[in-house]
Amino acid sequence: MDEPMHDAPGAQVKVTFTTNEADLQLPEEKRQLLVPADIRRYGLSRILNSDLMLDSGSIPFDFLVNGSFLRSSLEDYLNSEGLSLETNLTLQYVRSLIPPVFEASF
Amino acid sequence: HTDISSDRPLRPYDEALELWSTFQQKTQPLSQSLSSQLRLILAPTQSTKLSGSFRTGKRLNIKKIIPYIASSYKRDKIWMRRAIPSKRAYQILLCVDDSSSMSDENRSSSGHLALESLVMVARALTILESGQIGVLGFGEDVFVAHSLTDPSFSSHDAGARVLQKFTFASQGTDMVKLLRATIDNFREARLTQASSPGGEDLWQLALILSDGLVQSRDHARLRPLLREAMEQRVMVVFIVMDDVRDKKGHSVLELKEARFGADGMPVVRRYLDSFPFEYYLIVHDLEDLPGALAGVLRGWFAEVNA
Ligand SMILES: [Mg+2]
């Protein structure tokens, strides 16, 4: 039970995932998650797609936070809003409209 | 001392007073129940062991018979008696999480549940009437909300002054600082207690009331401090405030954490799996607390007295 994770952990943020996409709902017990604070859109997308979450292959997702698209790391977003790591952030995920070829730049 | 509190935000006194008396009234039966369960646990356990050498007693000490005869019946302290059980004194620190993850702003009712629990437990200990109670608050920093030597919570005023100090606005949850302050506080308190008679069997207990959300990277740093507490004979019980009545799936029991492994693949696991506290309770409802807490303490006493 106590063995360490593979990597040295950094700061974490607690997020709550929501979506309006009927076919991509998470079961209730998976909607809350602690994620690395330096995570960005692409990392969040990979976590959501993983077999432990939606098990949805590799659908590119975008994330809305307080009504606007997440364009930075969560940590940078919190800093720019004057919020701390104590914040429980609600992230609404939507299918990305950005062509996958640009994925790596976000 | 760890008090650095002069510029801390305070809840208005009248509001705090109202809160204290409402909670006290509401939780009165629970306080009574906890208090009587604790009384049984703290009562000196009847010693069944026979020992010593006395002129009269309960049972002969066989080893003393031959010297007794050899001394022409002069060395006649040949009886054993029951050892007299010692009375336990206690010092209890209630450590309340004042960080903003506990607040309504973060859609959490843990703060409310923690204050209700604080009032309930503080009242139970006041009814018990034989030890010292202190309250620490923690977030980014640690502050003393009520020191062990302050007057007890028999007046609403003392309680209100403590509740004033909890506003759940702190922008961090530093459990490492809390454990350091708890151990130091108890070390100091033990010294003052030792100079008074009957200080030998002092029981020191820290109850942490929190939503249980600690940065996972701190889990490993907490382990040596928990060991140190154990070596100082300080018992630490973590009480996770997990009020999930109308929020299905929001329990800390279900909470997972995601990381990227060495191979760059996402790994998801249960948050509580690396939680370092040996004694912890998950409380969904205040009604569960007296029984659950008494259960943990009973288990612990059985272990240390074994
Ligand atoms: Mg917190």
Side-chain angles (χ1 to χ4, degrees):
Chain A
M1 292 288 262
D2 281 340
E3 101 261 24
M5 299 289 278
H6 311 291
D7 49 341
Q12 289 173 314
V13 192
K14 188 177 169 192
V15 299
T16 305
F17 290 115
T18 64
T19 191
N20 293 329
E21 318 243 359
D23 56 329
L24 291 172
Q25 296 286 343
L26 280 167
E28 278 182 287
E29 74 277 6
K30 292 189 176 178
R31 289 181 192 169
Q32 297 218 63
L33 191 67
L34 295 167
V35 297
D38 59 2
I39 202 166
R40 308 164 78 89
R41 188 197 70 79
Y42 181 61
L44 286 166
S45 208
R46 287 186 60 209
I47 285 173
L48 263 188
N49 275 307
S50 76
D51 52 356
L52 291 153
M53 297 292 280
L54 285 168
D55 197 10
S56 47
S58 53
I59 303 172
F61 288 111
D62 265 320
F63 296 86
L64 283 153
V65 53
N66 288 322
S68 51
F69 285 106
L70 179 71
R71 293 289 179 235
S72 65
S73 70
L74 291 182
E75 202 163 26
D76 288 343
Y77 171 79
L78 290 171
N79 285 337
S80 70
E81 296 292 311
L83 297 169
S84 72
L85 296 175
E86 292 286 312
T87 310
N88 180 357
L89 271 184
T90 299
L91 296 177
Q92 186 193 339
Y93 53 98
V94 296
R95 280 190 173 83
S96 180
L97 300 172
I98 300 161
V101 68
F102 293 119
E103 229 172 54
S105 61
F106 283 98
Chain B
H1 262 276
T2 34
D3 203 340
I4 37 107
S5 60
S6 52
D7 56 348
R8 294 181 38 75
L10 283 185
R11 193 184 287 274
Y13 179 80
D14 289 345
E15 185 194 312
L17 190 63
E18 171 79 36
L19 212 54
W20 184 276
S21 45
T22 309
F23 286 167
Q24 178 172 331
Q25 200 163 8
K26 185 180 160 194
T27 62
Q28 181 68 23
L30 297 176
S31 296
Q32 287 290 357
S33 150
L34 178 58
S35 160
S36 40
Q37 296 187 62
L38 289 178
R39 183 164 288 129
L40 285 177
I41 296 169
L42 286 166
T45 30
Q46 189 60 54
S47 178
T48 50
K49 223 177 133 198
L50 293 161
S51 61
S53 12
F54 303 95
R55 283 211 174 79
T56 60
K58 191 86 180 160
R59 187 187 299 159
L60 273 172
N61 186 344
I62 301 302
K63 286 186 205 146
K64 295 283 168 72
I65 298 293
I66 296 197
Y68 173 55
I69 297 167
S71 70
S72 313
Y73 310 103
K74 286 198 180 83
R75 293 165 68 180
D76 57 355
K77 291 181 176 173
I78 54 173
W79 294 91
M80 297 191 292
R81 292 179 183 170
R82 271 186 216 290
I84 299 155
S86 54
K87 194 169 156 42
R88 271 187 204 105
Y90 65 81
Q91 291 174 329
I92 296 180
L93 280 176
L94 301 170
C95 310
V96 181
D97 188 339
D98 189 40
S99 73
S100 99
S101 64
M102 305 275 291
S103 73
D104 304 339
E105 261 165 74
N106 282 308
R107 299 182 304 283
S108 170
S109 47
S110 303
H112 184 272
L113 186 57
L115 292 188
E116 244 182 353
S117 307
L118 167 67
V119 176
M120 192 275 281
V121 177
R123 284 295 306 162
L125 296 171
T126 307
I127 298 167
L128 202 58
E129 242 182 3
S130 57
Q132 295 179 316
I133 313 158
V135 181
L136 297 183
F138 68 98
E140 281 180 296
D141 289 298
V142 180
F143 60 92
V144 178
H146 186 96
S147 92
L148 285 165
T149 49
D150 283 347
S152 80
F153 291 104
S154 36
S155 79
H156 286 196
D157 175 71
R161 289 185 192 286
V162 168
L163 291 192
Q164 271 196 286
K165 294 173 183 130
F166 291 93
T167 54
F168 308 108
S170 190
Q171 296 300 302
T173 311
D174 197 333
M175 202 69 73
V176 173
K177 268 189 199 164
L178 171 70
L179 281 184
R180 184 74 269 151
T182 302
I183 294 169
D184 293 347
N185 228 285
F186 273 142
R187 184 177 292 128
E188 213 175 287
R190 185 181 288 276
L191 290 177
T192 58
Q193 185 79 14
S195 56
S196 64
E200 321 77 36
D201 200 7
L202 179 64
W203 179 50
Q204 294 185 318
L205 168 71
L207 299 178
I208 303 176
L209 307 174
S210 165
D211 57 13
L213 296 178
V214 182
Q215 289 287 332
S216 299
R217 63 180 165 187
D218 284 345
H219 286 183
R221 297 170 63 210
L222 290 169
R223 275 174 227 283
L225 286 166
L226 287 167
R227 259 197 307 277
E228 188 182 337
M230 211 170 70
E231 283 159 14
Q232 303 280 326
R233 309 200 325 133
V234 170
M235 187 197 187
V236 180
V237 179
F238 200 115
I239 305 175
V240 183
M241 300 284 117
D242 196 32
D243 186 359
V244 287
R245 256 167 290 183
D246 38 42
K247 288 182 291 181
K248 206 166 156 264
H250 280 211
S251 168
V252 72
L253 287 168
E254 312 263 19
L255 185 63
K256 311 279 197 305
E257 59 182 330
R259 299 237 179 94
F260 293 96
D263 56 357
M265 296 303 286
V267 184
V268 177
R269 51 188 276 174
R270 216 168 74 100
Y271 168 71
L272 283 182
D273 283 353
S274 64
F275 200 63
F277 291 87
E278 187 184 347
Y279 297 100
Y280 68 91
L281 305 170
I282 313 250
V283 174
H284 303 297
D285 196 309
L286 198 61
E287 310 263 324
D288 310 337
L289 186 51
L293 184 55
V296 169
L297 299 183
R298 212 175 288 126
W300 185 73
F301 269 111
E303 217 169 281
V304 293
N305 293 326

